């Protein structure tokens, strides 16, 4: 009423461990039960927790390890979820079966069966996320590090093309040093020329005929080769395809979770 929880009944009662529990308690206090049977059932449930410190503390510990599932699900529904949101959702949902087992695995489980019966384990959602999303993904989608290897054969094949081209470029410096005898030869990259071979002025006389001059520097020259440009094109094309496919796959995963 006064936009503050200080000195309120909520501030006295609120010992919740999750944002979801805090919102639910606030709703319960603001909208108290009127049905006597429902009130008694809730009191019996409180008593169930009160009678056993061990199970109460165990469940509190499990709740502390959970993220705000409601918030994460809303982000998925509104197409605002990040890869880390999905991993956080899976981790939180994986806690649920443990909580459900504690609620059921006791002699007086019938006292709280109404609560345990409403808990869904969401194994299909967990399995989907674990199969599709890397365990420690980046915050954004598109760099090829979000979707797990083996989830999409199309993405895997393009990754192989990209990796092969990158391995060629990575080994090019050593290969060309050995072939030309120029020990100071360097392979580099910039956004203007892409990949290039840089050779100092003192070694320009040893430059092979197939090298194509692209840039003159104070201390030397930069060159390209047709083969280098071919592999560069493979890398760039693969990166574009990887970005498109990964974004499509991520959207599909989010849609399946919502569905």
């Amino acid at each position: 009423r006064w936009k503050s929880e200080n000195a309120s009944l909520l501030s006295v009662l609120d010992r919740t461990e999750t944002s979801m529990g805090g919102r639910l308690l606030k709703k319960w206090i603001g909208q108290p039960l009127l049905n006597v049977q429902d009130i008694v059932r809730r009191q019996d449930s409180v008593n169930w927790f009160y009678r056993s410190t061990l199970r109460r503390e165990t469940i509190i510990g499990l709740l502390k390890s959970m993220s705000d599932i409601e918030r994460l699900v809303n982000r998925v529904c509104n197409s605002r979820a990040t890869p880390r949101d999905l991993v956080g959702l899976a981790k939180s949902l994986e806690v649920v079966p443990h909580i459900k087992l504690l609620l059921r695995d006791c002699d007086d489980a019938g006292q709280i069966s109404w609560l345990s019966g409403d808990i869904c384990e969401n194994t299909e959602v967990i399995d989907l996320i674990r199969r599709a999303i890397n365990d420690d993904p980046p915050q954004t989608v598109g760099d090829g590090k979000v979707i797990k290897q083996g989830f999409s054969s199309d993405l895997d094949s393009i990754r192989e093309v990209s990796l092969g081209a990158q391995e060629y470029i990575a080994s090019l410096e050593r290969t060309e040093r050995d072939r030309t005898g120029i020990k100071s030869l360097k392979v580099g990259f910039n956004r203007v020329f892409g990949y290039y071979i840089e050779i100092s002025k003192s070694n320009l006389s040893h430059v092979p005929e197939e090298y194509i001059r692209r840039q003159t520097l104070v201390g030397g020259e930069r060159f390209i080769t047709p083969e280098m440009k071919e592999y560069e094109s493979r890398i760039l094309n693969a990166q574009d395809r990887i970005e498109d496919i990964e974004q499509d796959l991520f959207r599909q995963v989010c849609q399946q979770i919502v569905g």
Side-chain angles (χ1 to χ4, degrees), residues 134-194:
N134 280 316
D135 295 336
D136 186 21
Q139 189 71 9
T140 56
V141 184
D143 63 357
K145 298 178 181 179
V146 171
I147 302 298
K148 272 187 177 179
Q149 189 81 12
F151 184 73
S152 166
S153 57
D154 289 343
L155 182 59
D156 289 347
S157 63
I158 295 173
R159 280 171 171 162
E160 288 180 9
V161 171
S162 177
L163 180 61
Q166 289 176 31
E167 288 176 347
Y168 165 81
I169 294 294
S171 65
L172 184 63
E173 185 172 280
R174 183 187 68 253
T175 302
E176 289 302 292
R177 280 183 178 181
D178 293 342
R179 188 171 74 89
T180 63
I182 304 173
K183 301 303 180 184
S184 60
L185 180 150
K186 295 180 181 178
V187 173
F189 177 85
N190 64 34
R191 295 184 179 276
V192 178
F193 298 106

Side-chain angles (χ1 to χ4, degrees), residues 43-63:
Q43 289 174 332
D44 288 342
S45 301
V46 171
N47 186 46
W48 185 89
F49 283 99
Y50 178 76
R51 285 199 309 270
S52 174
T53 301
L54 177 60
R55 65 190 177 195
R56 185 174 66 250
E57 292 299 326
T58 301
I59 290 179
I60 286 174
L62 290 170
L63 290 173

Side-chain angles (χ1 to χ4, degrees), residues 1-6 8 26:
R1 182 179 299 175
W2 295 286
K3 307 299 180 182
S4 173
E5 295 179 2
N6 297 331
S8 67
K26 188 174 183 178

